[in-house]
Amino acid sequence: MMNLSENCAKLEIPAIVGPSEVYSSLGHWNTAVYVILFLHLLPVWCAGTITLFRLSSCLPPNLVPTTAWLVSIPPALMSLTATAIVIPSLGKYVEVLLEIVICSGLVKFIQLSILLCGGRDNIISFCRKKKIMLPIGSPPFICLLPCRKPGVTSVNLNMMVIAPVLLLIVKIAILTIDIVFLMISYKPSGSFIAYDNLHNIISFPVGLLAIYCYTMFNFTMNDCLEGNNKKFLGIILLLEFILFDCLRLFLFSNRNRNADMCSALS
């Protein structure tokens, strides 16, 4: 226990951990990491660029901007991840940026689905005609499965559309607050239940509501976009968001556990 306490006390972590610090730690293994990273980035960027250039000739003009945004998401995610690997000090901010990119993808997919269906009024009319009910038992609130399903109306459709937009705003606010903390040299307490972590706490109920509404929208679109393979984009984006959100929560709790261990032993 004393050796662990001494090791924690001797830790001298520089303010900024960049490529030179990583090289001093890994040596020439760092070069191999960069080569592998480049080999991952190159095909994603090439595929994304080629697809973007072909969109205008393959899609109607009203679908091009939204689809282009969705096509740009994989290169953006790969580039942000590569940035965090090259400059580990930016990891905390890259985590939030990754979620912002995915949240923007959720919003753009909803916009694309509405355009493909011919507008919100057409969606509501189609649901009434086919007797498609609102899937209120969607994850994560599967406890509502036994409840009676209401019809799809303009009110609950607007709720499904607005909730991911609200989540995107919250994620942008989190990044803004973190950057302000950095600019004023404020060091957060590191505790989960704290005033300086209130913005992260608020994001959890907002995230649950947004994912619930987005999942209901996806189930509804499975019927409205039957036969259109673009509907699978929504499921992929949902899985990506859940994965990144759970990963960020794990990393946050792991950082706090290590910090508490060092403070307890010092």
Side-chain angles (χ1 to χ4, degrees):
M1 294 289 285
M2 183 61 66
N3 290 334
L4 183 58
S5 176
E6 291 176 358
N7 290 336
C8 288
K10 293 178 180 178
L11 285 177
E12 295 181 0
I13 301 175
I16 299 177
V17 179
S20 59
E21 287 78 14
V22 175
Y23 178 80
S24 63
S25 176
L26 298 179
H28 289 292
W29 285 105
N30 193 34
T31 305
V33 172
Y34 288 161
V35 171
I36 295 172
L37 192 61
F38 176 76
L39 292 177
H40 279 78
L41 271 173
L42 185 62
V44 175
W45 268 98
C46 289
T49 304
I50 294 171
T51 305
L52 284 174
F53 277 110
R54 292 182 176 179
L55 283 181
S56 57
S57 59
C58 300
L59 295 174
N62 63 326
L63 298 179
V64 171
T66 308
T67 308
W69 189 286
L70 292 171
V71 171
S72 302
I73 288 177
L77 293 177
M78 285 295 298
S79 300
L80 288 171
T81 305
T83 302
I85 294 173
V86 175
I87 310 176
S89 292
L90 298 179
K92 175 183 177 181
Y93 310 100
V94 170
E95 289 173 10
V96 187
L97 278 171
L98 289 170
E99 291 186 329
I100 290 175
V101 172
I102 297 176
C103 287
S104 67
L106 303 182
V107 174
K108 290 299 178 180
F109 173 75
I110 290 176
Q111 294 176 0
L112 177 63
S113 300
I114 292 174
L115 288 172
L116 290 172
C117 293
R120 301 187 188 188
D121 293 336
N122 281 349
I123 294 175
I124 296 171
S125 299
F126 180 83
C127 291
R128 287 176 180 172
K129 182 179 179 181
K130 298 293 184 178
K131 296 182 179 179
I132 299 172
M133 310 304 287
L134 188 69
I136 59 173
S138 302
F141 297 117
I142 56 175
C143 56
L144 298 177
L145 274 173
C147 300
R148 182 181 178 183
K149 296 180 180 178
V152 177
T153 64
S154 59
V155 175
N156 50 44
L157 180 60
N158 288 334
M159 180 187 68
M160 291 187 285
V161 172
I162 293 173
V165 178
L166 179 61
L167 178 61
L168 177 60
I169 294 172
V170 170
K171 296 297 181 181
I172 294 174
I174 290 174
L175 180 62
T176 304
I177 293 172
D178 287 341
I179 292 175
V180 170
F181 284 171
L182 179 65
M183 293 175 63
I184 64 176
S185 300
Y186 176 78
K187 186 176 181 181
S189 62
S191 301
F192 183 76
I193 307 298
Y195 288 111
D196 53 18
N197 194 47
L198 189 60
H199 52 298
N200 286 309
I201 296 175
I202 292 174
S203 70
F204 285 105
V206 176
L208 281 176
L209 175 63
I211 292 305
Y212 175 59
C213 292
Y214 181 77
T215 306
M216 286 195 296
F217 183 84
N218 265 319
F219 281 130
T220 305
M221 288 300 105
N222 282 338
D223 296 314
C224 296
L225 295 176
E226 188 175 359
N228 193 326
N229 57 7
K230 291 184 178 65
K231 65 182 180 181
F232 297 113
L233 287 173
I235 300 174
I236 295 172
L237 287 168
L238 177 62
L239 292 176
E240 284 184 347
F241 177 83
I242 294 173
L243 174 64
F244 278 95
D245 208 41
C246 292
L247 179 62
R248 185 166 182 261
L249 179 62
F250 170 77
L251 292 174
F252 181 84
S253 60
N254 192 49
R255 282 196 296 262
N256 288 346
R257 191 184 302 115
N258 292 337
D260 291 342
M261 182 180 296
C262 282
S263 63
L265 293 172
S266 58

